[in-house]
């Protein structure tokens, strides 16, 4: 059986819970949203972070952000914190997850990722067990409402594993034709493995809502024609010099510029995301269990 077959089997089995993954009783409590894109540099990390902050601030939800872009993890940099540890220290050095997770504004927690490591490979049973126990402990103690996974870009297997293990996927795109075609590539690949996955889009760095709706309409038409799939439009974030300033200041735009248009747009998105609360959520450890069960994080 090749990797694609394994992935299909994993996906076919997901709903039935017959892949040997222990589904915990906490299943319905945590909503896991993966944020991804076809093309890099479209604003995934800034949106993951600021949406997480907006959901915590305006919707009073407990949010955990997981930096799962193992190539260029940078949520901590955008937040201006310097974590002592990252996710690899939990897995390889058995550092308790409580010591690894850092707290940002509005009580948002961040599990820092690893930079410059393309993949975390070949986890032993002991490493997995420790890691999953830590996740369960964390969930038991803190009961996060929403976990936002900031993934890398593209259709690589590491990214796909995370997307397929989440409850839903947000694809961030811009109005550039390359972003549009690369977004379609991600949605198509995801669709081949799980045609039921809920996919929505956020149009970032656009000049107007009209431009965002046009991009959405083009993508929806292609998805509808070739995949018979509906994708949801969540909204847009304008191209914003204020956001760029916040990046340079290493402070989230929502914190440093709460009254900027871009912050209002992000809060509007946060409200919409929270208002569409899907059923059938996974627990945190089940998410990782699925992500690691067949592939061990590797490409
Ligand atoms: N709404 C926006 N307006 C203006 N510039 C933006 C906006 N969103 C993102 N950017 C710019 O794009 C850059 C990349 O953003 P970000 O790091 O969030 O993208 P990414 O998709 O996570 O990138 P990567 O694929 O490398 O992980 C930011 O540093 C910022 O300069
Ligand atoms: Mg990023």
């Amino acid at each position: 059986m090749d990797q694609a077959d394994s992935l299909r089997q994993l996906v076919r089995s997901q709903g039935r819970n017959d892949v040997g993954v222990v589904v915990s009783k906490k299943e319905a409590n945590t909503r896991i949203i993966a944020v991804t894109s076809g093309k890099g540099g479209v604003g995934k990390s800034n949106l993951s972070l600021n949406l997480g902050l907006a959901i915590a601030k305006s919707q009073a939800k407990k949010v955990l952000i997981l930096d799962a872009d193992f190539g260029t993890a940078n949520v901590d940099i955008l937040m201006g914190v310097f974590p002592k540890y990252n996710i690899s220290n939990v897995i390889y050095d058995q550092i308790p997850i409580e010591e690894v997770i850092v707290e940002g504004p509005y009580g948002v927690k961040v599990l820092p990722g690893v930079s410059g490591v393309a993949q975390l490979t070949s986890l032993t049973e002991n490493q997995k067990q420790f890691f999953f126990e830590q996740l369960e402990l964390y969930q038991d103690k803190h009961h996060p409402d929403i976990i936002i996974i900031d993934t890398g870009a593209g259709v690589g297997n590491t990214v796909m594993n995370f997307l397929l293990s989440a409850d839903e996927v947000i694809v961030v795109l811009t109005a550039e034709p390359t972003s549009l075609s690369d977004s379609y590539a991600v949605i198509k690949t995801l669709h081949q493995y799980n045609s039921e996955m809920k996919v929505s889009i956020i149009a970032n760095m656009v000049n107007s809502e009209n431009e965002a709706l046009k991009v959405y309409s083009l993508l929806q038409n292609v998805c509808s024609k070739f995949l018979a799939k509906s994708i949801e439009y969540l909204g847009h974030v304008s191209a914003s010099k204020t956001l760029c300033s916040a990046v340079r200041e290493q402070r989230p735009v929502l914190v440093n510029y709460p009254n900027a248009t871009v912050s209002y747009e992000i809060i509007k998105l946060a409200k919409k995301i929270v208002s569409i609360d899907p059923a059938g959520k996974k627990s945190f450890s089940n998410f990782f269990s699925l992500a690691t069960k067949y592939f061990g994080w590797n490409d």
Side-chain angles (χ1 to χ4, degrees), residues 170-220:
I170 295 177
V171 177
V172 178
L173 76 169
T174 68
E176 290 180 350
T178 43
S179 173
L180 195 62
S181 61
D182 292 351
S183 300
Y184 176 67
V186 167
I187 296 168
K188 183 180 167 191
T189 307
L190 189 58
H191 184 77
Q192 281 166 354
Y193 294 126
N194 182 2
S195 58
E196 304 294 312
M197 179 60 79
K198 179 174 180 278
V199 176
S200 37
I201 66 127
I202 295 175
N204 188 27
M205 297 193 233
V206 290
N207 293 319
S208 65
E209 168 124 58
N210 270 352
E211 187 176 49
L213 287 167
K214 200 171 146 198
V215 170
Y216 166 69
S217 164
L218 286 168
L219 188 59
Q220 175 56 68

Side-chain angles (χ1 to χ4, degrees), residues 36-220:
T36 196
S37 68
K39 189 173 171 291
V42 296
K44 293 178 296 297
S45 299
N46 274 281
L47 287 183
S48 296
L49 174 60
N50 285 288
L51 278 173
L53 293 167
I55 289 169
K57 185 186 180 192
S58 71
Q59 306 296 298
K61 299 281 183 198
K62 286 186 199 165
V63 177
L64 172 70
I65 298 170
L66 166 65
D67 194 343
D69 181 353
F70 295 140
T72 52
N74 57 17
V75 173
D76 51 332
I77 297 169
L78 293 173
M79 220 167 60
V81 297
F82 303 93
K84 193 168 166 193
Y85 300 119
N86 62 53
I87 193 169
S88 73
N89 297 113
V90 186
I91 295 165
Y92 296 116
D93 307 323
Q94 304 219 326
I95 304 286
I97 202 163
E98 290 275 350
E99 292 181 32
V100 176
I101 287 175
V102 291
E103 183 163 339
Y106 318 125
V108 168
K109 307 286 194 300
V110 177
L111 180 53
V114 257
S115 264
V117 178
Q119 59 210 16
L120 297 172
T121 53
S122 313
L123 305 188
T124 65
E125 280 310 309
N126 279 350
Q127 285 166 337
K128 280 188 194 176
Q129 196 185 337
F130 179 79
F131 186 52
F132 293 150
E133 276 169 13
Q134 288 295 309
L135 296 171
E136 298 237 316
L137 280 174
Y138 180 83
Q139 195 164 31
D140 278 346
K141 194 168 166 192
H142 298 284
H143 307 289
D145 298 303
I146 293 184
I147 296 173
I148 297 177
I149 320 271
D150 176 22
T151 74
V155 296
N157 285 336
T158 304
V159 173
M160 273 304 142
N161 291 347
F162 279 124
L163 302 190
L164 288 163
S165 305
D167 297 318
E168 58 192 280
V169 173
I170 295 177
V171 177
V172 178
L173 76 169
T174 68
E176 290 180 350
T178 43
S179 173
L180 195 62
S181 61
D182 292 351
S183 300
Y184 176 67
V186 167
I187 296 168
K188 183 180 167 191
T189 307
L190 189 58
H191 184 77
Q192 281 166 354
Y193 294 126
N194 182 2
S195 58
E196 304 294 312
M197 179 60 79
K198 179 174 180 278
V199 176
S200 37
I201 66 127
I202 295 175
N204 188 27
M205 297 193 233
V206 290
N207 293 319
S208 65
E209 168 124 58
N210 270 352
E211 187 176 49
L213 287 167
K214 200 171 146 198
V215 170
Y216 166 69
S217 164
L218 286 168
L219 188 59
Q220 175 56 68

